[in-house]
């Protein structure tokens, strides 16, 4: 790289380049630390029995008594779905879980529920319906939909029925 810098600015330019180099080296170190943390998390997760070839994992049997804090996020979503029997928004599930587990933080629950719903949607287990009036996203089991764009009427919440059909 050839640079033409007047002599009177050479020292200033050299100083600026040195500072820029130090900043970039610091960023590289930060990235290396972050990569190491990620590697540690991956290692910890992949050492779980569910990631082994012959896992001795038996899925837990859930009691039908009611909400259980120990449930995974997907089961908590399914429980909410069974309680309401209507398509639902992620915010509704978050609010429900926070009422059941007030010690949890909203941001943690919101990110976990969003990830779980996204996975259920990608797998085809759930269908995503976007209210054409408000652009609010609703989710529900694929069995509750006539097709990918139309939920069955009896699984539509009353407020959405009112907006869509005036009923």
């Amino acid at each position: 790289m050839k640079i033409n810098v007047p002599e009177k600015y050479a020292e200033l330019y050299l100083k600026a380049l040195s500072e820029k180099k130090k900043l970039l080296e610091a960023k590289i170190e930060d990235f290396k630390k972050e990569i190491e943390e990620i590697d540690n998390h991956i290692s910890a997760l992949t050492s779980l029995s569910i990631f082994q070839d012959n896992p001795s994992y038996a899925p837990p049997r859930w009691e039908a008594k009611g909400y259980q804090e120990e449930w995974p996020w997907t089961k908590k979503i399914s429980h909410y779905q069974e309680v309401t029997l209507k398509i639902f928004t992620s915010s509704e599930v978050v609010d429900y879980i926070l009422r059941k587990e007030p010690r949890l933080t909203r941001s943690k629950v919101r990110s976990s529920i969003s990830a779980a719903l996204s996975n259920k949607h990608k797998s085809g287990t759930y269908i995503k319906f976007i209210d054409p009036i408000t652009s609010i996203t609703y989710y529900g089991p694929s069995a509750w939909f006539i097709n990918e764009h139309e939920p069955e009427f009896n699984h539509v919440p009353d407020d959405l029925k009112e907006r869509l059909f005036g009923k």
Side-chain angles (χ1 to χ4, degrees):
M1 171 164 81
K2 186 174 182 180
I3 302 172
N4 292 324
V5 178
E7 249 183 75
K8 63 181 180 179
Y9 297 116
E11 193 173 317
L12 185 61
Y13 187 64
L14 186 60
K15 184 178 178 183
L17 285 175
S18 296
E19 288 180 22
K20 179 71 174 178
K21 180 182 173 187
K22 286 179 188 175
L23 284 172
L24 290 172
E25 287 172 338
K27 283 184 180 180
I28 289 170
E29 287 305 312
D30 289 344
F31 286 136
K32 285 181 180 177
K33 288 177 187 172
E34 193 172 343
I35 289 169
E36 187 177 327
E37 286 178 27
I38 290 170
D39 285 341
N40 290 338
H41 286 291
I42 289 172
S43 177
L45 286 172
T46 55
S47 68
L48 295 174
S49 62
I50 61 171
F51 290 105
Q52 305 304 316
D53 288 337
N54 296 317
S56 59
Y57 174 76
R61 299 185 59 80
W62 309 118
E63 296 180 27
K65 292 180 182 175
Y67 186 91
Q68 306 281 321
E69 289 185 9
E70 307 82 35
W71 285 343
W73 297 109
T74 53
K75 176 61 180 163
K76 291 176 182 182
I77 293 169
S78 296
H79 177 74
Y80 179 75
Q81 157 200 319
E82 291 165 7
V83 168
T84 63
L85 296 175
K86 305 287 182 193
I87 59 174
F88 51 86
T89 66
S90 60
S91 296
E92 292 169 347
V93 178
V94 168
D95 291 342
Y96 179 76
I97 291 172
L98 287 172
R99 282 194 303 274
K100 297 291 187 179
E101 299 181 68
R103 62 176 174 67
L104 295 176
T105 63
R106 179 170 289 281
S107 60
K108 166 68 175 159
V109 175
R110 187 179 327 123
S111 64
S112 299
I113 293 303
S114 293
L117 287 172
S118 177
N119 288 337
K120 282 184 167 266
H121 177 254
K122 285 178 186 172
S123 72
T125 308
Y126 277 16
I127 292 179
K128 184 178 1 179
F129 172 76
I130 299 175
D131 176 355
I133 297 169
T134 63
S135 297
I136 295 173
T137 301
Y138 290 83
Y139 295 89
S142 53
W144 290 2
F145 285 78
I146 297 167
N147 58 47
E148 286 189 25
H149 308 289
E150 190 178 356
E152 289 182 3
F153 189 76
N154 58 328
H155 292 293
V156 176
D158 292 338
D159 62 325
L160 183 55
K161 283 180 186 173
E162 217 171 281
R163 277 194 304 279
L164 296 177
F165 310 111
K167 295 181 181 186

